[in-house]
Amino acid sequence: MFRSLSGFNYRVWFIGALVSNVGGWMQATTQDWVVLTELTDNNAAAVGATMALQFGPQLLLVPITGAVIDRFDRRKVLIVTQSVLMLLAVGLGLLLLGGHAQLWHVYGFALALGITSAFDAPARQTFVSDLVSGPNASNAVALNAASFNAARLIGPAVAGGLIVLVGSGWVFMINALTFIAMIGALLVMRRRELIVHPRAVRDGNPLVQGFRYVGGRSDLVVVLVIVFLVGAFCMNFPIFSSTMAVMFGKGAGEYGILSSILAIGSLTAALLAARRERARLRVVFASAGALGAASLIAAFMPTYETFAASTVLIGFATVTLLTTANGYVQTTTDPAVRGRVMALYVAILMGGTLIGAPTVGWVADAAGPRWALGVAAVAAFVALGVGVGWLMVARGLRVARMPQRRWRFGLAWAASAEAIADGGGVPAPATGSLATVSGRNDPADFSDEVAMTSPIRLPKLPGHRADAAGRAGGHPSPDVAAPRTSRPSTTHPSVDPRPTADREGRISTDR
């Protein structure tokens, strides 16, 4: 699970990122609470506008950010972006401590933070591939998510307590100090151990190149559509948590605890993702459906305690989806354009907030926070429909009746669905729920190990039937050994002289 930590550079990066992420979550929690309760009168739309300003630039600056990340030293890019983010935290912290902060100040801070993060986020995503080798890439991505969500478990709860104890301004100042850990980690890395990837050739508009590469792969298009829907309408946790906390009559401390409880599910999902050898599309699609169900459950929770418990499910489903999608995109993309594709990925994930956050905030103000969670549930189910629809159109997924289960139906690929319906030579699995035989398996979706160890059933040989009939009638068959005589047998009595099939009339493909 932690094999990527064996390398010095990734180990240093992991520690620095964990400390910095704790501070980042402290600042994010405080910022949203300041907008909702200190600078406005519980205005969820203002929180949504702040989020849109913070995440919108990541969508608008894709033509620049992808090219910068592909053409420049990512380590140096990160040193610059982390330094700028530290200065921004100091600036807003001083305004809050001096009592001069106004709503437009926070809007300006969110916009500057968004512009800087438009370069920082994709650089951090792709820098992982500079720290670990290919076989450990998925594990490193999952451990990054674990670090992020472990910080999410700690940061919001600490922020809620500090807001009550020392005030919101000091939270920003403390976050500024945590950036030192990340900058220090980048400076002490062993540069000779960094993995060098080929730089992109300047042969056209980088944005066009990125879109052309993604457009040529329908699997990436589907992943990005799902990520957009989830990022735009399902990941507005500050709006959900803050408005639900206010609805239940709770304060800053309880709001911070909500974010930390959500991180329990997020951290669990990230650690489980680290155990998987590779990212699979079917996990992305299933997680979208689970996220829709979890959001719907949360919308109907009657008390603060039950709502807090339901956020664990939301966190688990969200991080499972995003970690798997991130790992899939990184590990299946050509290294020469990985920076541009990841910039596009992050832009779609975060930039969707430009549309979703104001919409969800308006719904929370107009109809209540429960309806805002309902919007998230609908978006997640639509994402599930997109994934299933792609499987049906591009991969020929069909619903077929399993002959062994008369009233049970399962999923099969087009090549095997007709054979299953006709009772042909494609065997249904023992569970009767999913057909695993297909001539069009996607290596990212299906296990080669399963394909190499699945038995192929053959028709029983005529000798088997005669043998069985002889035993049933009490007469020995020609295949039964004769009674022992004084002449020794040349065949060992325990070895069947027929090597073409085993006792049950089948052979295995791994022979």
Side-chain angles (χ1 to χ4, degrees):
M1 181 186 295
F2 301 102
R3 58 186 180 273
S4 298
L5 293 175
S6 60
F8 173 80
N9 282 344
Y10 185 78
R11 188 162 59 247
V12 170
W13 163 268
F14 183 86
I15 296 172
L18 178 61
V19 175
S20 181
N21 284 333
V22 170
W25 277 110
M26 290 170 57
Q27 176 174 289
T29 303
T30 305
Q31 172 187 291
D32 297 326
W33 189 256
V34 165
V35 172
L36 185 69
T37 62
E38 296 182 19
L39 301 181
T40 67
D41 185 17
N42 299 331
N43 190 340
V47 178
T50 304
M51 294 177 62
L53 289 170
Q54 182 172 333
F55 297 115
Q58 301 192 38
L59 179 62
L60 301 177
L61 295 177
V62 170
I64 303 174
T65 57
V68 168
I69 293 165
D70 276 336
R71 294 175 180 173
F72 293 94
D73 187 336
R74 293 161 187 162
R75 174 177 159 274
K76 294 180 180 179
V77 170
L78 285 170
I79 291 174
V80 172
T81 56
Q82 291 291 301
S83 300
V84 173
L85 292 172
M86 179 175 64
L87 294 176
L88 288 173
V90 171
L92 187 56
L94 291 175
L95 285 174
L96 289 168
L97 289 174
H100 304 300
Q102 299 179 24
L103 185 59
W104 71 270
H105 290 143
V106 180
Y107 284 164
F109 167 81
L111 179 60
L113 182 65
I115 293 173
T116 308
S117 296
F119 295 90
D120 183 78
R124 291 177 69 165
Q125 299 281 355
T126 53
F127 189 59
V128 174
S129 63
D130 296 342
L131 300 175
V132 295
S133 59
N136 291 330
S138 279
N139 176 257
V141 170
L143 289 180
N144 265 12
S147 169
F148 183 79
N149 288 288
R152 190 178 199 168
L153 185 65
I154 302 169
V158 173
L162 289 176
I163 291 172
V164 176
L165 293 176
V166 298
S168 55
W170 283 108
V171 179
F172 284 85
M173 302 303 290
I174 294 172
N175 173 54
L177 294 177
T178 64
F179 284 104
I180 297 176
M182 176 62 84
I183 296 173
L186 292 167
L187 291 175
V188 302
M189 285 182 179
R190 299 170 182 168
R191 298 187 62 183
R192 66 182 181 277
E193 295 182 7
L194 293 175
I195 301 171
V196 179
H197 296 284
R199 298 301 177 189
V201 180
R202 303 188 181 189
D203 57 353
N205 187 298
L207 179 61
V208 173
Q209 292 174 359
F211 274 105
R212 182 180 298 147
Y213 179 84
V214 172
R217 291 186 50 187
S218 62
D219 56 337
L220 290 185
V221 172
V222 171
V223 169
L224 293 179
V225 170
I226 292 175
V227 165
F228 170 78
L229 290 170
V230 171
F233 300 103
C234 304
M235 291 182 59
N236 298 292
F237 303 126
I239 296 177
F240 301 144
S241 298
S242 60
T243 54
M244 290 293 282
V246 170
M247 186 187 75
F248 289 123
K250 305 299 180 180
E254 291 82 359
Y255 164 55
I257 290 173
L258 280 179
S259 297
S260 294
I261 292 176
L262 183 144
I264 295 174
S266 302
L267 179 59
T268 303
L271 292 176
L272 290 177
R275 294 174 60 89
R276 292 193 287 269
E277 292 295 328
R278 59 183 176 179
R280 301 173 185 273
L281 283 179
R282 61 187 179 192
V283 177
V284 176
F285 302 156
S287 299
L291 178 57
S295 300
L296 201 59
I297 291 171
F300 286 97
M301 290 296 101
T303 64
Y304 171 84
E305 291 75 17
T306 55
F307 173 74
S310 69
T311 60
V312 175
L313 302 176
I314 295 178
F316 183 88
T318 302
V319 172
T320 299
L321 188 153
L322 294 181
T323 302
T324 309
N326 187 317
Y328 182 84
V329 172
Q330 287 212 52
T331 57
T332 63
T333 299
D334 185 345
V337 294
R338 184 176 292 145
R340 302 172 199 190
V341 174
M342 287 309 300
L344 182 61
Y345 172 90
V346 174
I348 289 174
L349 174 62
M350 300 301 182
T353 308
L354 185 64
I355 301 172
T359 302
V360 172
W362 176 80
V363 171
D365 277 338
R370 297 185 187 278
W371 284 100
L373 283 165
V375 171
V378 171
F381 286 131
V382 171
L384 172 63
V386 169
V388 174
W390 176 77
L391 287 176
M392 296 178 67
V393 174
R395 299 295 174 86
L397 184 67
R398 297 291 184 269
V399 177
R401 199 177 81 173
M402 302 300 177
Q404 291 89 340
R405 303 288 188 273
R406 183 176 181 182
W407 303 111
R408 294 283 299 277
F409 289 83
L411 300 178
W413 305 111
S416 59
E418 293 182 3
I420 293 175
D422 295 338
V426 181
T431 59
S433 59
L434 179 66
T436 58
V437 180
S438 172
R440 303 164 59 184
N441 286 353
D442 187 329
D445 286 328
F446 303 99
S447 170
D448 294 332
E449 290 80 2
V450 172
M452 292 297 294
T453 57
S454 298
I456 301 176
R457 298 186 180 276
L458 299 177
K460 290 193 175 183
L461 300 178
H464 284 272
R465 297 191 181 95
D467 189 10
R471 291 193 185 97
H475 302 287
S477 70
D479 293 329
V480 178
R484 180 178 296 179
T485 65
S486 59
R487 185 176 181 180
S489 173
T490 59
T491 304
H492 194 282
S494 62
V495 177
D496 191 338
R498 293 166 299 179
T500 57
D502 63 14
R503 292 291 186 181
E504 296 179 6
R506 61 185 182 186
I507 62 174
S508 176
T509 58
D510 59 353
R511 293 187 180 180

